[in-house]
PDB file of all heavy atoms in Angstrom:
ATOM      1  N   GLU A  21      50.224  24.473 -49.783  1.00 93.00           N
ATOM      2  CA  GLU A  21      49.198  24.613 -48.948  1.00 93.00           C
ATOM      3  C   GLU A  21      48.722  23.323 -48.135  1.00 93.00           C
ATOM      4  O   GLU A  21      48.523  23.381 -46.972  1.00 93.00           O
ATOM      5  CB  GLU A  21      47.890  25.084 -49.774  1.00 93.00           C
ATOM      6  CG  GLU A  21      46.631  25.330 -48.936  1.00 93.00           C
ATOM      7  CD  GLU A  21      45.477  25.671 -49.797  1.00 93.00           C
ATOM      8  OE1 GLU A  21      45.728  26.331 -50.882  1.00 93.00           O
ATOM      9  OE2 GLU A  21      44.302  25.290 -49.472  1.00 93.00           O
ATOM     10  N   HIS A  22      48.710  22.239 -48.871  1.00 93.00           N
ATOM     11  CA  HIS A  22      48.381  20.961 -48.344  1.00 93.00           C
ATOM     12  C   HIS A  22      49.404  20.545 -47.285  1.00 93.00           C
ATOM     13  O   HIS A  22      49.095  20.023 -46.177  1.00 93.00           O
ATOM     14  CB  HIS A  22      48.372  19.893 -49.392  1.00 93.00           C
ATOM     15  CG  HIS A  22      47.988  18.562 -48.965  1.00 93.00           C
ATOM     16  ND1 HIS A  22      46.697  18.070 -48.665  1.00 93.00           N
ATOM     17  CD2 HIS A  22      48.816  17.499 -48.692  1.00 93.00           C
ATOM     18  CE1 HIS A  22      46.697  16.762 -48.211  1.00 93.00           C
ATOM     19  NE2 HIS A  22      47.976  16.413 -48.258  1.00 93.00           N
ATOM     20  N   GLU A  23      50.697  20.766 -47.511  1.00 93.00           N
ATOM     21  CA  GLU A  23      51.751  20.410 -46.516  1.00 93.00           C
ATOM     22  C   GLU A  23      51.760  21.362 -45.372  1.00 93.00           C
ATOM     23  O   GLU A  23      51.933  20.784 -44.193  1.00 93.00           O
ATOM     24  CB  GLU A  23      53.134  20.466 -47.247  1.00 93.00           C
ATOM     25  CG  GLU A  23      53.458  19.375 -48.284  1.00 93.00           C
ATOM     26  CD  GLU A  23      53.266  18.011 -47.433  1.00 93.00           C
ATOM     27  OE1 GLU A  23      54.079  17.739 -46.524  1.00 93.00           O
ATOM     28  OE2 GLU A  23      52.377  17.185 -47.781  1.00 93.00           O
ATOM     29  N   ARG A  24      51.546  22.668 -45.619  1.00 93.00           N
ATOM     30  CA  ARG A  24      51.313  23.531 -44.392  1.00 93.00           C
ATOM     31  C   ARG A  24      50.345  23.160 -43.482  1.00 93.00           C
ATOM     32  O   ARG A  24      50.375  23.066 -42.224  1.00 93.00           O
ATOM     33  CB  ARG A  24      51.026  25.053 -44.900  1.00 93.00           C
ATOM     34  CG  ARG A  24      52.309  25.677 -45.131  1.00 93.00           C
ATOM     35  CD  ARG A  24      51.898  27.276 -45.348  1.00 93.00           C
ATOM     36  NE  ARG A  24      50.888  27.474 -46.277  1.00 93.00           N
ATOM     37  CZ  ARG A  24      51.042  27.647 -47.560  1.00 93.00           C
ATOM     38  NH1 ARG A  24      52.208  27.626 -48.171  1.00 93.00           N
ATOM     39  NH2 ARG A  24      50.020  27.911 -48.387  1.00 93.00           N
ATOM     40  N   GLU A  25      49.100  22.782 -43.994  1.00 93.00           N
ATOM     41  CA  GLU A  25      48.047  22.275 -43.236  1.00 93.00           C
ATOM     42  C   GLU A  25      48.263  21.025 -42.476  1.00 93.00           C
ATOM     43  O   GLU A  25      47.982  20.815 -41.216  1.00 93.00           O
ATOM     44  CB  GLU A  25      46.752  22.192 -44.010  1.00 93.00           C
ATOM     45  CG  GLU A  25      45.417  21.901 -43.133  1.00 93.00           C
ATOM     46  CD  GLU A  25      45.256  22.819 -42.064  1.00 93.00           C
ATOM     47  OE1 GLU A  25      45.586  24.120 -42.178  1.00 93.00           O
ATOM     48  OE2 GLU A  25      44.461  22.535 -41.054  1.00 93.00           O
ATOM     49  N   ALA A  26      48.843  20.072 -43.186  1.00 93.00           N
ATOM     50  CA  ALA A  26      49.357  18.802 -42.563  1.00 93.00           C
ATOM     51  C   ALA A  26      50.348  19.089 -41.274  1.00 93.00           C
ATOM     52  O   ALA A  26      50.118  18.530 -40.240  1.00 93.00           O
ATOM     53  CB  ALA A  26      50.015  17.924 -43.554  1.00 93.00           C
ATOM     54  N   CYS A  27      51.186  20.022 -41.356  1.00 92.00           N
ATOM     55  CA  CYS A  27      52.257  20.340 -40.332  1.00 92.00           C
ATOM     56  C   CYS A  27      51.355  21.108 -39.296  1.00 92.00           C
ATOM     57  O   CYS A  27      51.686  20.769 -37.897  1.00 92.00           O
ATOM     58  CB  CYS A  27      53.372  21.268 -40.809  1.00 92.00           C
ATOM     59  SG  CYS A  27      54.355  20.441 -41.956  1.00 92.00           S
ATOM     60  N   ALA A  28      50.510  21.984 -39.624  1.00 93.00           N
ATOM     61  CA  ALA A  28      49.704  22.649 -38.500  1.00 93.00           C
ATOM     62  C   ALA A  28      48.879  21.718 -37.735  1.00 93.00           C
ATOM     63  O   ALA A  28      48.795  21.862 -36.503  1.00 93.00           O
ATOM     64  CB  ALA A  28      48.868  23.814 -39.217  1.00 93.00           C
ATOM     65  N   LYS A  29      48.321  20.682 -38.486  1.00 93.00           N
ATOM     66  CA  LYS A  29      47.463  19.640 -37.724  1.00 93.00           C
ATOM     67  C   LYS A  29      48.435  18.912 -36.748  1.00 93.00           C
ATOM     68  O   LYS A  29      47.906  18.459 -35.634  1.00 93.00           O
ATOM     69  CB  LYS A  29      46.797  18.752 -38.693  1.00 93.00           C
ATOM     70  CG  LYS A  29      45.688  19.395 -39.444  1.00 93.00           C
ATOM     71  CD  LYS A  29      44.990  18.492 -40.399  1.00 93.00           C
ATOM     72  CE  LYS A  29      43.794  19.210 -41.114  1.00 93.00           C
ATOM     73  NZ  LYS A  29      43.200  18.310 -42.092  1.00 93.00           N
ATOM     74  N   VAL A  30      49.582  18.580 -37.062  1.00 92.00           N
ATOM     75  CA  VAL A  30      50.534  17.953 -36.139  1.00 92.00           C
ATOM     76  C   VAL A  30      50.573  18.774 -34.819  1.00 92.00           C
ATOM     77  O   VAL A  30      50.612  18.357 -33.693  1.00 92.00           O
ATOM     78  CB  VAL A  30      51.903  17.655 -36.798  1.00 92.00           C
ATOM     79  CG1 VAL A  30      53.015  17.183 -35.652  1.00 92.00           C
ATOM     80  CG2 VAL A  30      51.703  16.568 -37.788  1.00 92.00           C
ATOM     81  N   CYS A  31      50.849  20.131 -35.049  1.00 91.00           N
ATOM     82  CA  CYS A  31      50.916  21.067 -33.964  1.00 91.00           C
ATOM     83  C   CYS A  31      49.613  21.099 -33.189  1.00 91.00           C
ATOM     84  O   CYS A  31      49.717  21.210 -31.876  1.00 91.00           O
ATOM     85  CB  CYS A  31      51.318  22.483 -34.468  1.00 91.00           C
ATOM     86  SG  CYS A  31      52.930  22.639 -35.125  1.00 91.00           S
ATOM     87  N   ASP A  32      48.397  21.046 -33.842  1.00 91.00           N
ATOM     88  CA  ASP A  32      47.155  20.969 -33.061  1.00 91.00           C
ATOM     89  C   ASP A  32      47.103  19.815 -32.273  1.00 91.00           C
ATOM     90  O   ASP A  32      46.611  19.895 -31.013  1.00 91.00           O
ATOM     91  CB  ASP A  32      46.106  21.037 -34.125  1.00 91.00           C
ATOM     92  CG  ASP A  32      45.916  22.305 -34.884  1.00 91.00           C
ATOM     93  OD1 ASP A  32      46.379  23.278 -34.440  1.00 91.00           O
ATOM     94  OD2 ASP A  32      45.290  22.300 -35.962  1.00 91.00           O
ATOM     95  N   VAL A  33      47.535  18.789 -32.664  1.00 89.00           N
ATOM     96  CA  VAL A  33      47.542  17.478 -31.871  1.00 89.00           C
ATOM     97  C   VAL A  33      48.485  17.629 -30.689  1.00 89.00           C
ATOM     98  O   VAL A  33      48.012  17.171 -29.517  1.00 89.00           O
ATOM     99  CB  VAL A  33      47.836  16.175 -32.806  1.00 89.00           C
ATOM    100  CG1 VAL A  33      48.140  14.978 -31.858  1.00 89.00           C
ATOM    101  CG2 VAL A  33      46.749  15.994 -33.773  1.00 89.00           C
ATOM    102  N   LEU A  34      49.630  18.091 -30.899  1.00 89.00           N
ATOM    103  CA  LEU A  34      50.675  18.203 -29.793  1.00 89.00           C
ATOM    104  C   LEU A  34      49.909  19.220 -28.912  1.00 89.00           C
ATOM    105  O   LEU A  34      50.332  19.144 -27.643  1.00 89.00           O
ATOM    106  CB  LEU A  34      51.905  18.626 -30.402  1.00 89.00           C
ATOM    107  CG  LEU A  34      52.689  17.653 -31.234  1.00 89.00           C
ATOM    108  CD1 LEU A  34      53.976  18.238 -31.790  1.00 89.00           C
ATOM    109  CD2 LEU A  34      52.947  16.398 -30.374  1.00 89.00           C
ATOM    110  N   ALA A  35      49.332  20.190 -29.151  1.00 87.00           N
ATOM    111  CA  ALA A  35      48.838  21.386 -28.328  1.00 87.00           C
ATOM    112  C   ALA A  35      47.880  20.713 -27.237  1.00 87.00           C
ATOM    113  O   ALA A  35      47.751  21.318 -26.337  1.00 87.00           O
ATOM    114  CB  ALA A  35      48.196  22.561 -29.151  1.00 87.00           C
ATOM    115  N   VAL A  36      47.286  19.488 -27.539  1.00 87.00           N
ATOM    116  CA  VAL A  36      46.320  19.045 -26.617  1.00 87.00           C
ATOM    117  C   VAL A  36      46.834  17.705 -25.962  1.00 87.00           C
ATOM    118  O   VAL A  36      46.190  17.081 -25.120  1.00 87.00           O
ATOM    119  CB  VAL A  36      44.976  18.792 -27.188  1.00 87.00           C
ATOM    120  CG1 VAL A  36      44.270  20.120 -27.589  1.00 87.00           C
ATOM    121  CG2 VAL A  36      44.959  17.846 -28.437  1.00 87.00           C
ATOM    122  N   HIS A  37      48.042  17.360 -26.385  1.00 85.00           N
ATOM    123  CA  HIS A  37      48.628  16.121 -25.897  1.00 85.00           C
ATOM    124  C   HIS A  37      49.307  16.466 -24.452  1.00 85.00           C
ATOM    125  O   HIS A  37      49.943  17.409 -24.295  1.00 85.00           O
ATOM    126  CB  HIS A  37      49.686  15.595 -26.730  1.00 85.00           C
ATOM    127  CG  HIS A  37      50.238  14.251 -26.406  1.00 85.00           C
ATOM    128  ND1 HIS A  37      51.206  14.171 -25.423  1.00 85.00           N
ATOM    129  CD2 HIS A  37      50.070  13.051 -26.895  1.00 85.00           C
ATOM    130  CE1 HIS A  37      51.532  12.843 -25.299  1.00 85.00           C
ATOM    131  NE2 HIS A  37      50.806  12.242 -26.256  1.00 85.00           N
ATOM    132  N   PRO A  38      48.922  15.602 -23.458  1.00 83.00           N
ATOM    133  CA  PRO A  38      49.345  15.808 -22.074  1.00 83.00           C
ATOM    134  C   PRO A  38      50.864  16.168 -21.919  1.00 83.00           C
ATOM    135  O   PRO A  38      51.230  17.024 -21.076  1.00 83.00           O
ATOM    136  CB  PRO A  38      48.969  14.707 -21.334  1.00 83.00           C
ATOM    137  CG  PRO A  38      47.892  14.027 -22.066  1.00 83.00           C
ATOM    138  CD  PRO A  38      48.079  14.464 -23.591  1.00 83.00           C
ATOM    139  N   GLU A  39      51.681  15.281 -22.661  1.00 84.00           N
ATOM    140  CA  GLU A  39      53.057  15.522 -22.563  1.00 84.00           C
ATOM    141  C   GLU A  39      53.750  16.714 -23.233  1.00 84.00           C
ATOM    142  O   GLU A  39      54.747  17.220 -22.851  1.00 84.00           O
ATOM    143  CB  GLU A  39      53.699  14.244 -23.089  1.00 84.00           C
ATOM    144  CG  GLU A  39      55.172  14.049 -22.644  1.00 84.00           C
ATOM    145  CD  GLU A  39      55.706  12.684 -23.193  1.00 84.00           C
ATOM    146  OE1 GLU A  39      54.975  11.704 -23.299  1.00 84.00           O
ATOM    147  OE2 GLU A  39      56.980  12.558 -23.336  1.00 84.00           O
ATOM    148  N   TYR A  40      53.079  17.161 -24.285  1.00 78.00           N
ATOM    149  CA  TYR A  40      53.537  18.225 -25.188  1.00 78.00           C
ATOM    150  C   TYR A  40      52.864  19.474 -25.274  1.00 78.00           C
ATOM    151  O   TYR A  40      53.280  20.408 -25.860  1.00 78.00           O
ATOM    152  CB  TYR A  40      53.749  17.704 -26.650  1.00 78.00           C
ATOM    153  CG  TYR A  40      54.575  16.404 -26.764  1.00 78.00           C
ATOM    154  CD1 TYR A  40      53.937  15.196 -26.931  1.00 78.00           C
ATOM    155  CD2 TYR A  40      55.909  16.496 -26.635  1.00 78.00           C
ATOM    156  CE1 TYR A  40      54.735  13.950 -27.181  1.00 78.00           C
ATOM    157  CE2 TYR A  40      56.695  15.300 -26.670  1.00 78.00           C
ATOM    158  CZ  TYR A  40      56.036  14.052 -26.999  1.00 78.00           C
ATOM    159  OH  TYR A  40      56.798  12.926 -26.995  1.00 78.00           O
ATOM    160  N   ALA A  41      51.739  19.490 -24.507  1.00 81.00           N
ATOM    161  CA  ALA A  41      50.855  20.712 -24.631  1.00 81.00           C
ATOM    162  C   ALA A  41      51.581  21.883 -24.069  1.00 81.00           C
ATOM    163  O   ALA A  41      52.192  21.938 -23.095  1.00 81.00           O
ATOM    164  CB  ALA A  41      49.643  20.505 -23.764  1.00 81.00           C
ATOM    165  N   SER A  42      51.505  23.105 -24.900  1.00 82.00           N
ATOM    166  CA  SER A  42      52.044  24.360 -24.422  1.00 82.00           C
ATOM    167  C   SER A  42      51.543  25.331 -25.330  1.00 82.00           C
ATOM    168  O   SER A  42      50.999  25.122 -26.429  1.00 82.00           O
ATOM    169  CB  SER A  42      53.649  24.322 -24.571  1.00 82.00           C
ATOM    170  OG  SER A  42      54.138  24.258 -25.689  1.00 82.00           O
ATOM    171  N   ASP A  43      51.735  26.631 -25.027  1.00 83.00           N
ATOM    172  CA  ASP A  43      51.344  27.759 -25.934  1.00 83.00           C
ATOM    173  C   ASP A  43      52.207  27.777 -27.168  1.00 83.00           C
ATOM    174  O   ASP A  43      51.680  28.165 -28.269  1.00 83.00           O
ATOM    175  CB  ASP A  43      51.427  28.960 -25.086  1.00 83.00           C
ATOM    176  CG  ASP A  43      50.484  29.164 -24.106  1.00 83.00           C
ATOM    177  OD1 ASP A  43      49.378  28.567 -24.106  1.00 83.00           O
ATOM    178  OD2 ASP A  43      50.635  29.923 -23.120  1.00 83.00           O
ATOM    179  N   ILE A  44      53.344  27.156 -27.123  1.00 87.00           N
ATOM    180  CA  ILE A  44      54.409  27.188 -28.265  1.00 87.00           C
ATOM    181  C   ILE A  44      53.685  26.320 -29.395  1.00 87.00           C
ATOM    182  O   ILE A  44      53.833  26.742 -30.586  1.00 87.00           O
ATOM    183  CB  ILE A  44      55.671  26.635 -27.918  1.00 87.00           C
ATOM    184  CG1 ILE A  44      56.372  27.684 -26.867  1.00 87.00           C
ATOM    185  CG2 ILE A  44      56.557  26.405 -29.171  1.00 87.00           C
ATOM    186  CD1 ILE A  44      56.711  28.980 -27.441  1.00 87.00           C
TER     187      ILE A  44
END
């Protein structure tokens, strides 16, 4: 659970990063 949330948070950060933001 802890590792899943850590990975999901990386995706959350990338989702708002200008260079990496995407629906994916």
Side-chain angles (χ1 to χ4, degrees):
E21 178 183 332
H22 181 80
E23 286 302 301
R24 274 192 306 272
E25 186 57 26
C27 293
K29 285 180 180 180
V30 170
C31 293
D32 290 339
V33 169
L34 292 175
V36 297
H37 188 281
E39 190 175 339
Y40 303 107
S42 73
D43 290 338
I44 294 296

